[in-house]
Each structure stands twice: as structure tokens, then as C-alpha cells.
Amino acid sequence: MSDHAIELQGLRKTYAASGNDGPKEALKGVDLAIPRGSIFGLLGPNGAGKSTLINILAGLVTKTAGRVTIWGFDQDVNPRQSRAAIGVMPQELNLDPFFTPRGALEVQAGLYGVPKAQRRTEEILRLIGLEDKAEAYARSLSGGMRRRLLLGKALVHHPQILVLDEPTAGVDIELRQMLWANVRQLNAEGMTIILTTHYLEEAQEMCDEIAIINHGAVVVRDRTENLLARLDAKTLVIVPDEPAGPVTVPEGVECATRPDGALVFSYHRSQVTADAILEAVRAAGITIRDVATEEADLEDVFVALTSTKAA
Ligand code: ADP
Ligand code: MG
């Protein structure tokens, strides 16, 4: 039995031409294995193919080629089992305005064939904080409440995998925190979480592993901490007590003076230690008033990997 939640092999999607637009190759052969139990982040700029990938998993978009295995079930061979293993919170708000939250959850459970005795409608209403609105029409709910209801709908059939497509795009801080608390709780209970976000800080904080996708291809996939370690460029900023003269720096270090007089040293921590730089500064007779270092964050990794032009 595969120990992956999701396995993609050579996944391709070409959208057919329509109107003035020619055919669009949205996924160009994606290979990706997502471990069970993880919080996995799918990152990429707009148009990279994230929603296409997720909508293929959800069974909403038909793939052009490749193999999709969900919780060990090939989507083409065992469509029912593979569908049962996954719940998807889509990027678009697509709710029937005439349903109440309780009604929407019941209908969704019915669609997935969950017997009445096994439904967890009340538990889900509590989780998403909509007990008080259980009988309100969806059209009377705020945008945040509708999003929470979409999360609830993704959970009705007790899936092993929860997929969230840009769950926090354009939502307020309070809702964002609530969604992340929900996600962390579900993950702690054993659910595998896959999410897309373009808030890099959020991915850095939430995800165990990350794949960056650009122009329909995975450009990198690694544990979050490894990804951050890849960029070993560092910056050391030294504020001297008095305007400083030239500093003889170790090989491989670049030094610039900022307009405010601060000295900015750029180096690679695999080649040079901060100590060696401080030593050089002191040797130049400079008294140090303040020191700060800057490390690469996910944003730098992202920019470095996605700044290439379209193929
Ligand atoms: P992302 O979610 O990363 O922003 P998408 O998967 O939505 O990216 O889109 C990937 C590419 O496929 C984009 O160029 C987009 O314009 C195109 N695309 C998405 N959906 C369709 C569609 N239904 N028909 C044609 N092109 C589409
Ligand atoms: Mg999208």
C-alpha cells in the first residue's frame, strides 16, 4: 500500500481553444508525491496551474494525460474510492443561495452517500462556527461565513485528505486565524492537508512541505526548512559609531555603504562566518553600535525560482 496521500505521475492538462484563445497548456507533466499526515503547500504565481491541479484531484476538471492516485486508489480505476478519500474547498464561492448551512451540509452528505446515522452535521456546524446560523439562507451570510460553509461542505464525508484552494485570499484576519486553527486541529486528528496560498509567510508557518509550481510545472519540492536553507545568502548590517573608512573584507564578501552610514555586507554562510566579518570591521578600527543579520525567507526562494520567463 502506498504511504502517500496523493501521487501524480506525468499529469497534463490542456484546455481546449475557445473564442480568440488558442489551446492552453495549464499542466505540463507534473510528478508529485504528497505524504500522508502532512500539511502540504502548493505555491505559485497566478496562472501557474494550482487550481487546475486541485480541480483535477476534485474530479471537477478532466485531465489530458497522466495518472492520479488518491489514498492509494487510481482515479481512473477506482473513481468512487478515490473521490471518497478527498474533500475540496474550492477557490470560488459556489453556494446555492436558497440553502441554509444545515441544509447545504445535509445535501452534500447525501451526494456523497453518507448514511443519516453517520452524518456529523452538528459537529461540523460547531467546527466552522455556524451553529447560530444553521437555519439562515446562504444569501444572508457574510462572505466569511460562506467560506466557512465551503470548508464544512468539504468535510461531510470524513475524507482523509482536505484540499483548500486559496482559503485565505481576501479574508479578514479573524477568519484567517479561525481557518488555520481548524486546519491545525484537523491535521492533528490525522487529516492530510493540501493548500494553495500566495501568502508566503503563511505557507512558511503552516506547511511541513512545499511544492512551487510555475507555468504548469513543479520547479521545486522540499521540506519547508530545507527550502529556506537552500538560499544561503545572508546579509550583515553594521551601524558604526562614527562614519567608517574602508574595510578589508574576507574573500567572497561584498561591502556597500548605505546613505545613513550603515555598512551592508553580503555573503554566503557556507563560505564565510559572520564572526570573520565582524573581525575585519574591528580590525579597520570601527566601533560597532549595532548589528543585524537578514536571512533569506520563502519570498526570496519563491522570487528566485519563479522569475524565469514563460517557456
Ligand atoms: P492558478 O490557480 O495557479 O492561478 P489556474 O489553474 O487557475 O492557475 O490556471 C492555469 C492556466 O490555465 C492559466 O493560464 C489559466 O488562464 C488557464 N485556465 C484555467 N482554467 C481554464 C479554462 N477553464 N479554460 C481555459 N484556460 C483555463
Ligand atoms: Mg487558482
Side-chain angles (χ1 to χ4, degrees):
M1 181 92 147
S2 155
D3 57 356
H4 291 122
I6 304 274
E7 269 184 277
L8 306 176
Q9 286 160 301
L11 186 61
R12 290 180 177 278
K13 174 65 188 180
T14 304
Y15 289 105
S18 76
N20 292 331
D21 297 331
K24 172 76 202 176
E25 203 181 2
L27 294 177
K28 300 174 179 168
V30 170
D31 297 309
L32 190 62
I34 299 178
R36 295 186 179 195
S38 59
I39 301 185
F40 192 94
L42 206 53
L43 302 188
N46 257 336
K50 304 179 298 292
S51 291
T52 298
L53 192 157
I54 279 174
N55 289 334
I56 290 172
L57 294 179
L60 299 170
V61 165
T62 316
K63 64 184 189 295
T64 304
R67 199 164 146 182
V68 176
T69 310
I70 302 175
W71 214 255
F73 296 108
D74 187 312
Q75 199 180 39
D76 296 331
V77 180
N78 298 103
R80 205 178 55 78
Q81 288 93 329
S82 66
R83 198 170 99 96
I86 193 167
V88 178
M89 177 180 170
Q91 185 171 1
E92 308 292 331
L93 281 172
N94 55 350
L95 284 168
D96 187 324
F98 297 104
F99 276 119
T100 66
R102 182 177 281 124
L105 293 175
E106 285 289 329
V107 166
Q108 184 79 358
L111 286 175
Y112 275 90
V114 182
K116 279 230 156 41
Q118 285 173 31
R119 292 189 189 170
R120 301 183 305 177
T121 306
E122 303 310 314
E123 185 189 328
I124 292 172
L125 284 169
R126 258 196 313 284
L127 178 80
I128 59 178
L130 288 182
E131 316 104 295
D132 297 345
K133 295 281 181 184
E135 297 301 336
Y137 284 119
R139 63 167 187 267
S140 73
L141 301 178
S142 71
M145 291 174 183
R146 291 182 203 191
R147 248 171 216 277
R148 272 138 63 188
L149 183 51
L150 285 181
L151 171 63
K153 283 179 69 179
L155 297 171
V156 294
H157 56 295
H158 322 192
Q160 289 96 333
I161 307 165
L162 173 65
V163 182
L164 309 134
D165 195 1
E166 309 259 2
T168 56
V171 311
D172 62 34
I173 289 181
E174 200 183 340
L175 175 59
R176 189 180 293 194
Q177 285 172 345
M178 176 171 184
L179 283 168
W180 291 133
N182 286 160
V183 162
R184 283 214 163 94
Q185 182 189 338
L186 292 164
N187 181 250
E189 290 165 7
M191 199 176 276
T192 303
I193 312 282
I194 300 167
L195 60 94
T196 74
T197 175
H198 54 248
Y199 297 111
L200 299 177
E201 217 173 286
E202 199 166 78
Q204 192 168 324
E205 195 188 314
M206 289 292 298
C207 300
D208 311 316
E209 307 205 23
I210 285 171
I212 295 179
I213 172 167
N214 197 26
H215 302 303
V218 173
V219 289
V220 71
R221 175 228 190 282
D222 210 336
R223 295 197 58 79
T224 308
E225 68 260 27
N226 295 346
L227 213 46
L228 295 171
R230 270 180 198 223
L231 277 201
D232 83 327
K234 277 197 96 167
T235 306
L236 184 69
V237 181
I238 290 176
V239 182
D241 236 356
E242 291 165 9
V247 180
T248 312
V249 292
E251 203 178 335
V253 179
E254 281 180 42
C255 178
T257 308
R258 279 200 324 220
D260 64 0
L263 303 170
V264 181
F265 298 90
S266 310
Y267 65 104
H268 289 272
R269 64 179 162 195
S270 55
Q271 296 167 6
V272 183
T273 64
D275 204 38
I277 295 171
L278 289 171
E279 201 54 49
V281 171
R282 286 196 205 94
I286 295 169
T287 312
I288 298 169
R289 189 195 306 162
D290 198 10
V291 179
T293 63
E294 287 167 15
E295 231 163 309
D297 63 9
L298 197 51
E299 180 120 26
D300 300 316
V301 182
F302 187 78
V303 169
L305 289 167
T306 60
S307 57
T308 53
K309 280 222 174 94

